[in-house]
Amino acid sequence: MAQTVRHHPTQSHPAAGGLVAFAAVMLVVAGILGILRGIMAIAEDDVFVSTPDYVFEFDLTGWGWVHLIAGAVAVLVGMSLFKAKLWARVVAVAIAGLLIIANFLSLPYYPLWSVIVITMYGFVIWALCVVRQDTD
């Protein structure tokens, strides 16, 4: 006689820890890259392009400070994800969403990199939202 195995929603799924760890690493890496991008923009590096007549036109130094501060927050939140707390996941999703918006608004200054980082933050949000079991 075959025995059936029932999955209970209260049990921890083995991939849940892996997805949270993936999101934490991606958030820390993207945050560090955001810090470096901010430093480049503050130093007014020649890597950035200037697009005339863009609707969301801002000063490059201002964008540098935005990316520097947001990158630092992303690194701190990413590090807190390793503790597997619910509040860290919520804050990480929020900061990743805000960073997607910031990178969208800075598309004309560094388009290819903005698209790459938007994708990275999208994976962070996905990884944190598909985890069903809270590990608090």
Side-chain angles (χ1 to χ4, degrees), residues 8 23 30 55 58 66 71 75 93-94 103 113 115 120:
H8 300 287
V55 175
F58 297 102
V66 167
V75 169
V93 168
N103 280 286
W113 185 247
V115 171
M120 289 175 76

Side-chain angles (χ1 to χ4, degrees), residues 12-19:
S12 177
H13 198 289
L19 285 175

Side-chain angles (χ1 to χ4, degrees), residues 27 30-31 74 96 99-100 103 117-126:
L27 193 59
L99 285 166
I100 285 175
N103 280 286
V117 175
I118 287 170
T119 305
M120 289 175 76
Y121 287 125
F123 278 123
V124 168
I125 291 172
W126 169 80

